[in-house]
Amino acid sequence: MKKLILLGLATVLFAACQEKAALRYTQQSPEIETVKSLIKNYNNKIYEASVYADTSKTYFNTKDNPMPSSEALDYHKANDTNYSSRGFLPEDQEYEMVVTDDGETWVNCWLDWKGTLAANNKEIAFPVHLTYQFIDGKIVREVGLWDPTEVVLALQEIEANNNRSADAKAIQTSIDTITKAWNTNDKDLMYANMIGNIIRTANGATIARKHSDYGDFMDVYHSAFPDFKVTLDHIKIDGSTAYLNWTCTGTNKGEFIGNPPTNKQIETHGFSIWKFDTEGKATREDAFYDNLEVYQQLGYSMPVPKK
């Protein structure tokens, strides 16, 4: 009998603990729905302050100097001017509500954010962690954590570009046009932005001494990779010289350096130094990249050197 009583007490205690644990953690609650609504409104550029308590404080990437909720909404509005589009992605959103040992109610969420800068169409994406403390159904504390480095550097670059000299802006226009010509395999457009005896070197070897040489080089890549694309990752202009970090991608659908198509995709990174004349036309390109990286992605067997 005594054992039965003890067993019954143990069962009751276990059930109570389970119920308490369930109350302290959940993925479904009115507070979570409030946060989901807040995220939806942000994506739609609707800034609703009614979900915040009058005394609510917002901490974005800081533990000091919080903003009142009204300033936090103004912060979002000001940032919106930098983007042609931005918002939290619908995929892989995670929400939870917890009640701490001190009885505080918090909603945590993990999201992915993506935006396109209006000035240069550069896409930026990063994960974000947001957490909200609730009292009586209102948000009294908001904390947001993310890595702002890429955004800060991109905005600094945009500002620097806006402050460039007229000559530097002309070179930038030529670089943009040359990139477009590469991506569309438009040789006439390319030639229009180069002097006739353009020089191009690749890892120290000269591969072009005139327009037609450069055009033939473009054809090699567009014949082998019909979707060949060049993306500029970083640009620095100093006088009549431009320094470019770039990424090339494509799918191998045609013969490449004597090899049949593999239907494999490539992604390679490189660096180019471009020289321009006083009219903003390119006079020379010195490019540096790792051919072995491309060959390995295509699955080529490299020749074994003879002993």
Side-chain angles (χ1 to χ4, degrees):
M1 185 66 173
K2 184 177 180 180
K3 290 182 178 180
L4 289 175
I5 293 173
L6 291 174
L7 179 60
L9 287 173
T11 302
V12 171
L13 288 172
F14 178 77
C17 289
Q18 290 290 94
E19 182 179 0
K20 184 178 180 181
L23 292 173
R24 293 184 62 180
Y25 175 88
T26 183
Q27 289 189 300
Q28 294 182 345
S29 72
E31 290 85 356
I32 289 176
E33 293 306 312
T34 295
V35 173
K36 287 183 177 180
S37 177
L38 194 64
I39 297 302
K40 181 179 179 180
N41 284 343
Y42 169 82
N43 281 355
N44 293 325
K45 297 185 179 180
I46 299 172
Y47 300 105
E48 179 58 61
S50 63
V51 297
Y52 294 91
D54 292 339
T55 57
S56 178
K57 301 295 183 183
T58 295
Y59 300 77
F60 285 155
N61 287 325
T62 182
K63 65 177 182 179
D64 302 311
N65 302 318
M67 298 180 285
S69 58
S70 59
E71 288 186 16
L73 298 180
D74 290 339
Y75 166 89
H76 290 311
K77 292 176 184 178
N79 278 339
D80 282 345
T81 61
N82 295 318
Y83 300 96
S84 58
S85 65
R86 95 292 177 269
F88 292 106
L89 302 179
E91 299 83 8
D92 301 322
Q93 294 188 1
E94 290 293 336
Y95 297 86
E96 68 174 17
M97 190 184 83
V98 296
V99 179
T100 70
D101 291 343
D102 296 328
E104 295 180 347
T105 299
W106 291 84
V107 172
N108 298 305
C109 59
W110 293 267
L111 311 163
D112 290 317
W113 184 95
K114 183 178 180 179
T116 302
L117 289 168
N120 57 11
N121 291 321
K122 179 181 177 64
E123 288 189 350
I124 298 175
F126 47 78
V128 177
H129 173 56
L130 298 172
T131 185
Y132 302 86
Q133 183 185 2
F134 281 80
I135 294 179
D136 296 330
K138 295 281 190 178
I139 297 171
V140 297
R141 184 182 177 95
E142 176 184 32
V143 180
L145 300 172
W146 64 89
D147 182 357
T149 304
E150 189 175 4
V151 172
V152 171
L153 292 177
L155 292 177
Q156 288 177 345
E157 183 175 349
I158 290 171
E159 183 178 5
N161 290 343
N162 291 336
N163 294 329
R164 284 175 176 168
S165 66
D167 290 341
K169 289 180 179 179
I171 290 174
Q172 178 67 61
T173 299
S174 295
I175 291 170
D176 292 340
T177 305
I178 287 170
T179 303
K180 179 181 178 181
W182 253 116
N183 290 336
T184 57
N185 199 27
D186 188 337
K187 289 183 281 294
D188 289 336
L189 183 62
M190 182 68 80
Y191 300 159
N193 287 271
M194 297 175 165
I195 63 172
N197 57 341
I198 178 75
I199 298 294
R200 188 188 198 270
T201 70
N203 298 322
T206 301
I207 62 172
R209 296 184 181 275
K210 57 182 182 295
H211 277 171
S212 59
D213 291 345
Y214 205 105
D216 292 343
F217 177 67
M218 293 170 65
D219 281 337
V220 168
Y221 277 87
H222 278 276
S223 296
F225 306 92
D227 58 347
F228 187 78
K229 182 179 180 181
V230 179
T231 302
L232 299 183
D233 303 315
H234 182 71
I235 303 171
K236 179 176 176 57
I237 299 174
D238 184 6
S240 61
T241 304
Y243 304 88
L244 312 181
N245 292 92
W246 45 260
T247 299
C248 291
T249 58
T251 308
N252 184 211
K253 297 290 186 179
E255 180 182 303
F256 184 56
I257 56 173
N259 295 282
T262 63
N263 292 314
K264 293 183 177 181
Q265 293 183 337
I266 63 165
E267 178 176 317
T268 184
H269 307 276
F271 175 73
S272 289
I273 302 172
W274 285 81
K275 298 284 188 179
F276 294 86
D277 63 15
T278 55
E279 297 180 356
K281 289 191 174 185
T283 62
R284 183 184 182 97
E285 179 196 7
D286 296 297
F288 304 89
Y289 48 91
D290 186 357
N291 280 317
L292 181 59
E293 180 183 29
V294 173
Y295 299 158
Q296 289 176 334
Q297 290 176 9
L298 293 174
Y300 292 169
S301 297
M302 303 306 295
V304 178
K306 295 181 180 180
K307 295 182 178 179

